[in-house]
Amino acid sequence: MSVMTPVSAQIGEHRNTFAVGGNAGYILSNVGFVPTVAQGLHGGPTAGFSWRYTCEKYFSTICSIYGEVNYASIGWKENIVDINDTKVVDATTGNPQEYSRTINYVQVPVMAHLAWGKENRGLNFFVNAGPQFGYYLSESSSYNFDLNQEIERIKNGTSQRSSSIYAQDTMQVKNKLDYGIAAGLGLEYSVPKVGHFMLTARYYYGLGNIYGSRKRDAFSKSNHGNIVIKATYLIDL
């Protein structure tokens, strides 16, 4: 008679490492308006606190939860052109019209963080994805023309602009809470007893609108879109 001996294989290796640190970077942003508002990319800084809890190594995948609490300066920058796609020159100043809106937020992304490569010494590659929440702090507008006069020209049909949409230039943010999905990838270099150095590229797609979206409102959609490039330093506790 043969005896069956149970054999167990260890698939995951438990981890219990908590790291904290800081991050800083740059955000290129716009707002997805419907009806469409022609835009370039608004540039602004971001910086804040970072943390990571590493819980397991599953085969070759290092599994963690990663989060941040950041100050972020985002918004939109308009591309003001005529029907020939040429920049509109202001009659008073003689300069091309420019308009941008800066909106400052506290942003809190919480993401799954999966890495492959060296864990404690050397280089690894990672991806992360998860929800992000933001809370409005303040906003400001920058423009180089008489806004009220230009709105009157749009209303009476004498403006050179190809677009007659102007509501976004005077409206303040209505919905203070922002939320959406963030996903990114990056590289991390680890040095024992020194820390972890990370370089990340990330995209955020807002699922909420900054303005009202009912039929009587000016826009049916007004969500944030952010491209984020940042450097992060973490040290294990």
Side-chain angles (χ1 to χ4, degrees):
M1 178 183 293
S2 61
V3 179
M4 300 294 292
T5 303
V7 177
S8 61
Q10 185 178 3
I11 297 177
E13 301 175 18
H14 178 66
R15 299 287 190 273
N16 187 26
T17 304
F18 192 74
V20 297
N23 70 81
Y26 198 71
I27 302 181
L28 296 172
S29 59
N30 61 13
V31 173
F33 288 112
V34 176
T36 301
V37 175
Q39 299 170 60
L41 289 172
H42 175 285
T46 179
F49 170 77
S50 302
W51 60 268
R52 182 174 67 189
Y53 175 66
T54 304
C55 55
E56 186 178 31
K57 185 174 183 181
Y58 188 81
F59 291 105
S60 61
T61 304
I62 306 163
C63 305
S64 308
I65 300 295
Y66 175 78
E68 297 173 345
V69 179
N70 299 320
Y71 170 86
S73 183
I74 61 178
W76 76 87
K77 181 179 180 181
E78 295 184 16
N79 186 24
I80 304 173
V81 295
D82 60 21
I83 58 173
N84 298 314
D85 204 30
T86 301
K87 288 186 176 296
V88 172
V89 176
D90 188 74
T92 302
T93 66
N95 296 319
Q97 290 185 352
E98 298 179 353
Y99 181 97
S100 65
R101 177 76 63 86
T102 298
I103 311 173
N104 301 309
Y105 282 89
V106 172
Q107 293 182 334
V108 183
V110 180
M111 299 176 286
H113 182 96
L114 305 177
W116 298 269
K118 303 296 184 180
E119 183 175 2
N120 297 312
R121 181 190 294 271
L123 189 68
N124 70 48
F125 165 81
F126 63 83
V127 297
N128 46 35
Q132 176 174 298
F133 302 93
Y135 189 77
Y136 166 96
L137 297 175
S138 63
E139 63 184 302
S140 61
S141 298
S142 176
Y143 46 91
N144 63 351
F145 57 94
D146 189 310
L147 184 58
N148 292 326
Q149 286 186 7
E150 185 62 31
I151 290 174
E152 286 302 314
R153 285 193 286 264
I154 293 172
K155 288 179 177 179
N156 62 34
T158 60
S159 173
Q160 299 178 43
R161 296 188 179 195
S162 60
S163 174
S164 60
I165 300 169
Y166 63 86
Q168 75 284 351
D169 291 349
T170 58
M171 294 168 59
Q172 290 188 321
V173 170
K174 178 180 180 181
N175 301 317
K176 309 300 184 184
L177 180 64
D178 182 53
Y179 58 92
I181 300 296
L185 50 84
L187 296 172
E188 175 180 342
Y189 189 79
S190 300
V191 180
K193 298 182 180 181
V194 175
H196 309 271
F197 302 88
M198 302 163 60
L199 184 63
T200 308
R202 185 185 306 160
Y203 182 75
Y204 169 73
Y205 182 82
L207 299 176
N209 295 312
I210 64 174
Y211 297 135
S213 56
R214 297 179 180 179
K215 287 186 178 180
R216 67 172 181 267
D217 291 315
F219 299 99
S220 61
K221 186 168 80 76
S222 53
N223 64 311
H224 286 299
N226 301 163
I227 299 171
V228 186
I229 305 294
K230 64 171 50 183
T232 303
Y233 170 72
L234 296 173
I235 186 168
D236 295 329
L237 296 182

